[in-house]
Amino acid sequence: MTALSVPTPGLTGSSLWDPALIARYNLAGPRYTSYPTAAQFQDDASDTLWREAVAASNTAGAPLSLYFHIPFCNTVCYYCACNKIITANRQRATDYLQLLYREIALQADAVRPGRIVRQLHWGGGTPTYISDDEMQALMAQTRQHFQLADDDSGEFSIEIHPGGMEPARIAHLRGLGFNRVSMGVQDFDPDVQQAVNRFNSVEEVSALVAAIHRERFKSLSMDLIYGLPRQSEGSFARTLDQVIALRPDRLSLFNYAHMPQMFKTQRQIDERQLPEPAVKMAILHQSIEQLLAAGYEYIGMDHFALPGDELALAQMQGTLHRNFQGYSTHKDCDLLAFGVSAINALGNSHFQNHKDVTSYAQAIESGQLPLAKHISLSDDDLLRKAVINELICNFGLDYAAIETAFGIDFQDYFAPELARLPALARDGLIELDAGGIRVMPAGRLLVRRLCMEFDAYIDHTKLSGNRFSRII
């Protein structure tokens, strides 16, 4: 049995959507942008451990992926759970960039020259908060220390907030080498925008989309959020119709998880205005139907893509991957990350920077890498990471492929996990045979629940709690 990597013909919202299964399996669980998840990182990061990881990475010689965290925003979006700094004082960003340049030099000094950067991403916050000149300087610093693929074959992306952004800046981004844009739309309804303090009109977004097409960007992704205050089935359907008309290559439909005890900005949301759980589920169901009818393919979890997009093609070829930025087509890259809270992934080791600017700055100013947390993956971690990646990316698992890659007997190694799976098979989430696992259409929305069965850090006698958001 081989992994299911080709989208199921005729997949519909009705085949994905089983209300009884959703009610039974929609528990809180990890998003699996990494395994082990960041919750397992330890406070034992050190310069020595990091340099050992880079040395091993240099020996392996994989291409590189670079991530830059720019945490600044002009205004606060009440739903936001990102690591951000809300300020009108532009000097704070200027000072931060000087620290970022020093971190780039510190990390690059340990990296073997000549390793090609195939993937680059600026996230935030709002990366377009910084000026065009500052963007130019940051990219120049990056090119000074790293060898970027300059033939436009790399995946160089940036997140933008469309509210108030001038379309003329799109040409500047293309000139810097970016070839992909991710745009946070969230919702076009004026009442919803007011409730979450996030404003971007259809006209603003349309003008930016036109500029993105003029500048021949390879891909445009838009983010939407369901479950926000004042949303209804009708209002969100209208937003989605307006988005579909703009024809982004990729769409992310994120579940709003209201966790004000963890994220202070969410305390500004009036909980009485949040849609009831049944309405929230109806919005999601309706949205899936709309997107599939419009020709988008369901990639997994929150993501949809047009059939010709690289994400859809990678899934068809069985090469789709997940990393700290979500679904990715660059499976073989080692990740170097810069800025507050940024996470490196070097071979078998992950390192996270300090989450606050003060601690970050103190480390940089003392000539040290701003490392706060770390985890070294065991052989068991690497094995389970591979299993979870196959399930969450390609909706299937070939036991023989895992056995060949890791030198194990799958049935013996995962005997406890396999003993739990028949219950999921009886409910129609998966199909089992002697060769592997196939995620059925009704199990795709709930694939994180299947992945949790292979997560060694979860207490399988207590599959509930508030550390994570619900699966959908």
Side-chain angles (χ1 to χ4, degrees):
M1 177 176 180
T2 58
L4 177 63
S5 56
V6 179
T8 302
L11 188 68
T12 66
S14 297
S15 62
L16 284 170
W17 193 270
D18 187 314
L21 292 183
I22 290 170
R24 188 176 310 159
Y25 288 102
N26 188 24
L27 306 175
R31 297 186 58 79
Y32 292 115
T33 50
S34 71
Y35 182 86
T37 67
Q40 306 305 324
F41 288 21
Q42 303 297 312
D43 297 324
D44 63 350
S46 70
D47 189 83
T48 299
L49 286 172
W50 185 88
R51 291 187 181 280
E52 289 173 353
V54 174
S57 173
N58 285 334
T59 299
L64 295 175
S65 174
L66 306 182
Y67 173 75
F68 298 85
H69 191 71
I70 301 171
F72 300 95
C73 296
N74 285 309
T75 57
V76 61
C77 303
Y78 297 157
Y79 56 80
C80 185
C82 298
N83 187 324
K84 59 194 174 297
I85 298 170
I86 312 300
T87 181
N89 182 1
R90 300 284 166 164
Q91 186 61 42
R92 293 188 67 184
T94 300
D95 294 343
Y96 176 82
L97 288 172
Q98 296 304 313
L99 296 170
L100 202 61
Y101 301 157
R102 292 168 68 176
E103 187 191 2
I104 291 169
L106 284 170
Q107 291 206 45
D109 184 59
V111 176
R112 177 173 56 78
R115 295 181 66 183
I116 302 297
V117 175
R118 295 288 180 196
Q119 188 177 43
L120 178 148
H121 184 73
W122 288 9
T126 306
T128 50
Y129 178 96
I130 64 177
S131 69
D132 286 354
D133 287 344
E134 287 172 328
M135 287 184 177
Q136 184 80 45
L138 176 54
M139 192 62 83
Q141 287 286 328
T142 304
R143 293 183 182 277
Q144 177 183 333
H145 292 285
F146 293 99
Q147 187 171 339
L148 274 59
D150 279 331
D151 56 358
D152 212 32
S153 64
E155 181 179 288
F156 297 165
S157 60
I158 182 170
E159 298 172 13
I160 68 172
H161 177 355
M165 182 170 172
E166 293 297 326
R169 298 192 76 189
I170 296 297
H172 180 67
L173 297 180
R174 194 69 175 101
L176 291 176
F178 290 107
N179 54 25
R180 297 179 184 274
V181 172
S182 176
M183 186 184 300
V185 172
Q186 320 315 358
D187 197 304
F188 279 134
D189 187 270
D191 287 339
V192 176
Q193 291 185 355
Q194 183 181 40
V196 298
N197 201 45
R198 169 84 174 199
F199 301 96
N200 37 241
S201 69
V202 177
E203 292 74 23
E204 285 175 312
V205 171
S206 297
L208 291 171
V209 170
I212 288 165
H213 290 324
R214 274 197 310 274
E215 298 300 329
R216 299 186 181 277
F217 278 74
K218 289 184 176 181
S219 180
L220 167 62
S221 176
M222 290 187 182
D223 297 341
L224 302 175
I225 298 178
Y226 69 96
L228 294 177
R230 301 182 187 173
Q231 278 180 344
S232 67
E233 293 177 66
S235 73
F236 201 73
R238 288 190 292 275
T239 284
L240 200 51
D241 281 339
Q242 292 166 319
V243 168
I244 289 170
L246 295 171
R247 213 62 181 165
D249 303 281
R250 303 175 187 176
L251 267 168
S252 298
L253 191 60
F254 293 115
N255 165 31
Y256 172 61
H258 189 60
M259 305 175 79
Q261 72 279 11
M262 295 180 62
F263 307 110
K264 291 182 179 179
T265 56
Q266 294 186 356
R267 297 173 190 173
Q268 299 178 75
I269 285 179
D270 185 346
E271 294 184 355
R272 297 169 299 180
Q273 297 180 346
L274 292 171
E276 293 294 328
V279 174
K280 185 176 179 180
M281 289 294 98
I283 292 172
L284 176 59
H285 186 190
Q286 172 183 267
S287 299
I288 292 170
E289 295 278 12
Q290 283 180 262
L291 289 170
L292 294 179
Y296 286 87
E297 293 182 356
Y298 179 64
I299 299 300
M301 291 183 56
D302 321 291
H303 288 69
F304 298 79
L306 292 173
D309 184 79
E310 287 188 4
L311 278 187
L313 295 175
Q315 188 171 67
M316 183 176 293
Q317 296 159 5
T319 59
L320 193 62
H321 180 61
R322 260 181 93 73
N323 61 22
F324 291 101
Q325 279 77 61
Y327 285 107
S328 170
T329 59
H330 290 261
K331 187 174 183 178
D332 58 343
C333 291
D334 273 347
L335 172 65
L336 294 172
F338 309 86
V340 292
S341 74
I343 299 177
N344 287 260
L346 299 164
N348 300 347
S349 298
H350 297 162
F351 298 84
Q352 184 171 29
N353 283 351
H354 291 292
K355 294 183 179 181
D356 65 284
V357 171
T358 300
S359 299
Y360 174 82
Q362 288 173 345
I364 296 291
E365 289 166 353
S366 65
Q368 300 294 313
L369 289 168
L371 305 171
K373 292 181 177 291
H374 157 262
I375 188 169
S376 290
L377 278 64
S378 66
D379 290 343
D380 180 71
D381 290 334
L382 293 169
L383 169 57
R384 292 174 184 274
K385 175 182 178 180
V387 168
I388 289 171
N389 187 81
E390 283 299 306
L391 293 173
I392 209 164
C393 291
N394 299 314
F395 294 127
L397 187 69
D398 179 358
Y399 296 163
I402 295 295
E403 290 174 336
T404 299
F406 291 91
I408 63 161
D409 181 295
F410 197 97
Q411 299 277 355
D412 180 61
Y413 194 98
F414 288 108
E417 289 81 3
L418 293 175
R420 294 192 294 264
L421 295 187
L424 278 66
R426 286 192 298 271
D427 282 342
L429 273 72
I430 59 175
E431 185 179 81
L432 295 169
D433 65 25
I437 303 168
R438 185 184 186 94
V439 181
M440 303 306 289
R444 292 188 175 197
L445 286 175
L446 300 161
V447 69
R448 286 162 63 188
R449 175 63 182 81
L450 173 60
C451 294
M452 289 164 68
E453 293 293 353
F454 292 92
D455 189 333
Y457 296 94
I458 284 179
D459 183 348
H460 292 278
T461 66
K462 300 177 181 179
L463 289 180
S464 62
N466 59 9
R467 168 175 286 185
F468 304 107
S469 62
R470 285 188 177 272
I471 292 171
I472 60 176

